[in-house]
Amino acid sequence: MKNSIVVVDDDPIIRMDLREMLEEEGYHIGGEAKNGQEAIELVAKLKPDLVIMDIKMPVMNGIKASHIIRKMQDTSVLLLTAYSQKELVQDARSAGVAAYLVKPVSEADLIPAVEIALSQKERMDALKHDLQQLKQSIEERKRIEKAKGIVMKAYALEEEEAYRKMRMASMAFRMPLSRLAACILQDGPGQLASMSLPDNG
């Protein structure tokens, strides 16, 4: 089963047509909504990969709903409209939508647009993951540096010797260096007291 999609349009016939086209391509339709407010509630509940949404709808239009959805989470939005006015295109872009299609929508137009929108989401997810890992790595480095300073002071060691002592302890206790550093920061360097450094020769 492919990615999860929510379809939003106040016309039930259009929703049915979109569902059929997407399901034929193997996509999973997580839910349907008939206005922007329902779309926001559904997205919050289902966390789909993509929302395909009409612009002109009662209660709340698609552009306003897109703004809210994009702030809530990293769900891609593909907007549909019967109008191709420049202002709408600009509004759609400022709402952070991935793609924009003018009705009536054919399968030949819909499926490539869906693929583009989903591939953009995958790239954004990958970038977010990389940034999170980088942030974690920086935090770990900071923790190790702080712990190393404590070990240097406690045992009157040079920086390189303190680091080697921590590495030895990391291997002896079978724990990552970052976790050992967290223990030193929390409980002090006492657990390293029994560990002697190897001879330099």
Side-chain angles (χ1 to χ4, degrees):
M1 192 68 81
K2 287 189 183 179
N3 308 71
S4 174
I5 298 173
V6 163
V7 174
V8 188
D9 198 297
D10 58 324
D11 186 334
I13 303 297
I14 290 174
R15 291 203 307 270
M16 186 179 70
D17 287 346
L18 290 169
R19 175 184 277 273
E20 285 178 0
M21 284 189 277
L22 292 162
E23 286 181 342
E24 272 181 27
E25 290 296 315
Y27 290 105
H28 168 64
I29 307 302
E32 295 181 15
K34 60 181 181 291
N35 60 59
Q37 186 60 51
E38 284 185 11
I40 291 163
E41 290 166 10
L42 206 54
V43 167
K45 183 182 173 185
L46 300 177
K47 295 180 172 47
D49 298 298
L50 175 65
V51 177
I52 299 176
M53 181 159 51
D54 189 24
I55 288 182
K56 198 172 181 184
M57 294 181 293
V59 185
M60 185 187 291
N61 69 43
I63 288 175
K64 188 172 181 183
S66 296
H67 271 290
I68 296 167
I69 287 167
R70 293 293 296 142
K71 283 178 184 174
M72 277 167 49
Q73 61 196 61
D74 296 324
T75 295
S76 273
V77 179
L78 169 57
L79 284 180
L80 308 175
T81 183
Y83 314 97
S84 58
Q85 297 155 325
K86 281 186 179 178
E87 309 87 70
L88 283 176
V89 176
Q90 192 59 46
D91 287 346
R93 193 175 295 149
S94 67
V97 305
Y100 176 98
L101 285 175
V102 178
K103 293 177 180 178
V105 178
S106 68
E107 190 170 342
D109 292 329
L110 178 66
I111 302 307
V114 166
E115 291 291 345
I116 289 166
L118 288 171
S119 70
Q120 283 183 0
K121 183 187 185 301
E122 284 170 13
R123 282 199 299 274
M124 287 304 293
D125 286 348
L127 182 61
K128 195 174 178 182
H129 179 260
D130 289 347
L131 285 170
Q132 188 61 39
Q133 284 201 318
L134 181 61
K135 189 179 175 184
Q136 187 179 334
S137 176
I138 290 167
E139 289 302 316
E140 287 177 358
R141 288 287 295 275
K142 283 181 184 174
R143 201 179 300 137
I144 290 166
E145 287 300 312
K146 278 184 184 176
K148 185 170 68 178
I150 291 170
V151 172
M152 286 169 68
K153 191 174 179 182
Y155 300 104
L157 298 173
E158 294 294 324
E159 187 175 351
E160 191 179 332
E161 291 174 321
Y163 185 71
R164 278 166 56 209
K165 193 172 186 74
M166 286 172 64
R167 290 281 298 183
M168 282 173 60
S170 170
M171 289 185 279
F173 298 142
R174 296 177 185 271
M175 69 166 68
L177 195 56
S178 61
R179 193 169 148 214
L180 175 73
C183 292
I184 292 169
L185 292 173
Q186 186 177 322
D187 305 322
Q191 59 190 310
L192 306 185
S194 61
M195 308 204 74
S196 59
L197 288 166
D199 293 333
N200 291 329

